[in-house]
Amino acid sequence: QVQLVESGGGLVQSGGSLRLSCAASGRTFSRYNMGWFRQAPGKEREFVAGISWSGGNTRYVDSVKGRFTISRDNAKNTVYLQMNSLKPEDTAVYYCAADPSRTFDFFGYWGQGTQVTVSS
């Protein structure tokens, strides 16, 4: 069992940056792949970025490649999403999720989400 709490969202102008954090409780964080998802109004939730349990493997949706960076600090039980060159279409609620299967196919634990709003 792991509990996830996101922070770092807010309002930023187009071209700006934000760093999201996701703090995890429990001793199993370092065993899980982690991911960031987002859901914009009227749209389905989409995968944004993922990182393997060791941090050695990352993946991104094409629309954020080169702008977003996912990282993790297993000593602090925290995963981050650095978002640069933000665009209005990045506006969404961002969710942190944990994948105990280590396949990036099953994210069984979710945070409550943090709002990111990018103004034009």
Side-chain angles (χ1 to χ4, degrees):
Q1 187 79 17
V2 61
Q3 293 183 328
L4 306 171
V5 179
E6 302 96 334
S7 62
L11 173 64
V12 64
Q13 289 187 336
S14 181
S17 298
L18 282 175
R19 188 176 82 154
L20 305 183
S21 298
C22 173
S25 64
R27 301 179 180 180
T28 55
F29 173 80
S30 62
R31 303 177 189 174
Y32 295 167
N33 287 2
M34 298 296 295
W36 286 97
F37 292 75
R38 67 187 179 187
Q39 187 166 21
K43 295 187 177 181
E44 294 187 354
R45 185 173 60 194
E46 69 167 344
F47 173 84
V48 175
I51 187 166
S52 63
W53 62 274
S54 67
N57 181 21
T58 59
R59 55 184 65 185
Y60 300 90
V61 67
D62 286 347
S63 59
V64 308
K65 285 181 180 176
R67 299 188 299 122
F68 290 11
T69 303
I70 189 171
S71 62
R72 68 189 297 162
D73 185 337
N74 285 344
K76 294 183 178 180
N77 275 17
T78 302
V79 62
Y80 305 97
L81 185 67
Q82 179 66 44
M83 305 185 295
N84 298 330
S85 301
L86 282 162
K87 304 175 181 180
E89 51 263 43
D90 295 317
T91 295
V93 178
Y94 283 71
Y95 298 91
C96 170
D99 166 27
S101 74
R102 298 193 187 183
T103 64
F104 293 112
D105 289 334
F106 178 70
F107 287 88
Y109 303 102
W110 294 83
Q112 82 290 349
T114 186
Q115 176 70 47
V116 171
T117 303
V118 184
S119 63
S120 57

